[in-house]
Amino acid sequence: TSFRDGNAEIYVMNADGTDPKRITHAEGYDGGPFFSPDGTRIIYRSDRKGDDLLQLFVNNAEGTAERQLTDNGHVNWGPYWHPNGRHIIYATSKHGHQNYELYLMDVESGQEERITYHEGFDGLPVFSPDGSKLLLRTIEGGTYFRRVMPVADITG
């Protein structure tokens, strides 16, 4: 994410910073991008409405096929791809701003499944390379924890 054009937009460039290509072209903050495992798509969060509520978007690596995945009254952030390239996991304030929970989404169908059920904050999820485990950051009773959770088969 860069403010080089005056707005927080997502760019793709070479590892040395050369040849930047702008991927997003809308008003509002765009950030937190992650490439899909095959490198063809990007998942990210955005505040297009300027209401401090983040929504999730997916786009191709060229920036020509943006599609909004969430459109609700919640903060949805920290999206991360499952190694199967079809599912993402993300944190949402759907259960209150003091109780962020993780949801798994099928990017093609939009079907969602709640993954965590802990009072407090669950966020910053990352799958293991084989998709069998999930690392996340959690806050319970004011204490930060890193938690590793086994993940049931979701590729069906």
Side-chain angles (χ1 to χ4, degrees), residues 13-30:
M13 62 189 73
N14 295 327
D16 65 3
T18 60
D19 196 25
K21 292 181 177 72
R22 188 169 164 179
I23 299 299
T24 56
H25 300 276
E27 286 297 315
Y29 165 84
D30 295 308

Side-chain angles (χ1 to χ4, degrees), residues 139-154:
I139 303 172
E140 295 176 17
T143 303
Y144 289 89
F145 297 95
R146 287 189 187 114
R147 181 184 334 226
V148 177
M149 295 175 54
V151 178
D153 181 26
I154 61 167

Side-chain angles (χ1 to χ4, degrees), residues 2-110:
S2 173
F3 289 87
R4 69 181 66 206
D5 292 328
N7 193 30
E9 301 290 351
I10 296 174
Y11 292 78
V12 175
M13 62 189 73
N14 295 327
D16 65 3
T18 60
D19 196 25
K21 292 181 177 72
R22 188 169 164 179
I23 299 299
T24 56
H25 300 276
E27 286 297 315
Y29 165 84
D30 295 308
F34 284 98
F35 276 99
S36 60
D38 66 4
T40 63
R41 295 179 292 167
I42 301 171
I43 190 86
Y44 49 95
R45 62 185 183 243
S46 183
D47 182 14
R48 302 281 170 85
K49 296 178 183 176
D51 58 5
D52 294 328
L53 300 175
L54 299 171
Q55 303 304 320
L56 301 181
F57 289 78
V58 65
N59 206 336
N60 63 20
E62 294 78 35
T64 59
E66 183 177 79
R67 185 166 51 97
Q68 189 167 350
L69 297 176
T70 60
D71 187 10
N72 54 44
H74 312 298
V75 175
N76 305 285
W77 68 286
Y80 196 82
W81 290 97
H82 184 274
N84 69 15
R86 181 171 175 151
H87 295 87
I88 61 163
I89 193 160
Y90 69 97
T92 182
S93 66
K94 183 177 187 174
H95 304 280
H97 286 288
Q98 301 302 315
N99 187 32
Y100 278 75
E101 298 291 351
L102 296 182
Y103 275 75
L104 185 72
M105 176 189 283
D106 181 318
V107 173
E108 303 308 317
S109 71

Side-chain angles (χ1 to χ4, degrees), residues 105-122:
M105 176 189 283
D106 181 318
V107 173
E108 303 308 317
S109 71
Q111 183 177 4
E112 296 179 301
E113 176 186 351
R114 186 173 174 181
I115 300 298
T116 59
Y117 293 85
H118 304 104
E119 285 298 318
F121 172 85
D122 293 320

